[in-house]
Amino acid sequence: MVTGAGSGIGAATALALAEAGACVHTTGRSPENLKAIGDQLAATGSGTTAVLNVRDTGAFEQLIARAAEETGQLSILVNNASVRYFTPLMDATPEQEREMIDTLLLAPLAGTRAAVRTMHAHGLAGHIVNISSTSSRLPDQGLYGALKTGIDNLNDTLRIEQENDPIRVIGTLPGAVATNLARHLPPEALQASIAAVQAAPDVTFLLQPEDIARAVVYAVSQPAGISIDEITVNPQADIQPRMH
């Protein structure tokens, strides 16, 4: 199952997993985007789509259980759904904070718990892939960076808790990626990023979603005795916006 699969990293990962032979269940908030992904999944194999906001953790947990019941297994969960407001900590609104906390921390926690319990119930080996960010390693990334640091810690904790089970926990930390998260960039930051790219056309400032998808497929395709705890994927040059 891949969350936030309507576009960007989620869409690319869902399609890459399908091309690798997986039956992929996808979730997202946009019916139109999910229909397009569903059509592509149908062309490569099997899969399902479900319009869902992962902030509704109860519905998210039920969807995971139902997917496992319908197919007899759940071997991979990719927690990818994301939202970002590029504001300093002192300027974020309570509504923005709640949306980010719900989406970036509470939903992955709920989904991970439901997936692990489902894997245990079915006697399955599996992978939990939590999409973090290199923003978690930088001190000036606002609430987004703080919450991604929380995901990194969640990965470390879960990895210890599951060390005697055949469940692998993988943290994936992309650098700057060409996704629609940039829609919330302040105009001046967006213009600065565009100017940097235009000034050095031979330098890679932005990863493509497919770059992250390849990393995920690689990590979950390793033999059972190998655990890839974390993958960091950076572009050639840094273009991360600073929140100060």
Side-chain angles (χ1 to χ4, degrees):
M1 180 173 291
V2 181
T3 69
S7 63
I9 293 172
T13 300
L15 293 174
L17 288 169
E19 289 170 0
C23 172
V24 184
H25 304 274
T26 58
T27 75
R29 293 181 296 178
S30 168
E32 294 80 10
N33 289 354
L34 280 181
K35 182 182 183 306
I37 294 300
D39 291 343
Q40 293 179 72
L41 288 175
T44 59
S46 60
T48 65
T49 62
V51 178
L52 174 75
N53 188 332
V54 293
R55 296 179 69 187
D56 185 347
T57 55
F60 185 19
E61 292 172 346
Q62 291 172 10
L63 181 63
I64 289 172
R66 187 165 66 249
E69 290 171 2
E70 291 174 354
T71 62
Q73 64 176 339
L74 177 72
S75 56
I76 301 169
L77 171 66
V78 181
N79 281 311
N80 166 75
S82 189
V83 63
R84 182 173 187 178
Y85 294 99
F86 293 86
T87 53
L89 289 174
M90 295 300 101
D91 296 337
T93 67
E95 292 76 17
Q96 291 172 339
E97 292 171 340
R98 176 51 59 187
E99 182 180 2
M100 292 177 69
I101 291 169
D102 287 352
T103 305
L104 299 177
L105 191 58
L106 296 183
L109 176 58
T112 294
R113 182 170 50 240
V116 168
R117 288 174 176 171
T118 297
M119 292 171 186
H120 285 167
H122 289 261
L124 300 171
H127 295 84
I128 304 296
V129 182
N130 286 318
I131 305 297
S132 180
S133 169
T134 56
S135 291
S136 69
R137 306 300 165 85
L138 299 172
D140 53 358
Q141 296 296 294
L143 181 60
Y144 181 85
L147 293 170
K148 289 300 187 181
T149 301
I151 285 294
D152 294 347
N153 190 270
L154 184 151
N155 290 338
D156 293 340
T157 301
L158 184 63
R159 200 173 292 119
I160 293 170
E161 291 184 0
Q162 300 299 315
E163 63 183 351
N164 294 321
D165 292 328
I167 297 174
R168 302 289 178 257
V169 182
I170 303 164
T172 305
L173 286 76
V177 185
T179 71
N180 63 11
L181 280 185
R183 69 188 185 277
H184 292 306
L185 266 174
E188 62 275 12
L190 181 59
Q191 290 303 317
S193 297
I194 293 172
V197 172
Q198 292 176 339
D202 296 328
V203 176
T204 301
F205 288 95
L206 290 171
L207 298 166
Q208 296 302 311
E210 291 75 15
D211 298 324
I212 312 307
R214 283 194 298 272
V216 171
V217 172
Y218 170 79
V220 301
S221 300
Q222 298 307 302
I226 296 177
S227 176
I228 296 180
D229 296 346
E230 191 172 275
I231 295 183
T232 300
V233 187
N234 276 312
Q236 179 182 359
D238 178 45
I239 201 172
Q240 289 275 21
R242 305 301 193 227
M243 296 297 99
H244 60 260

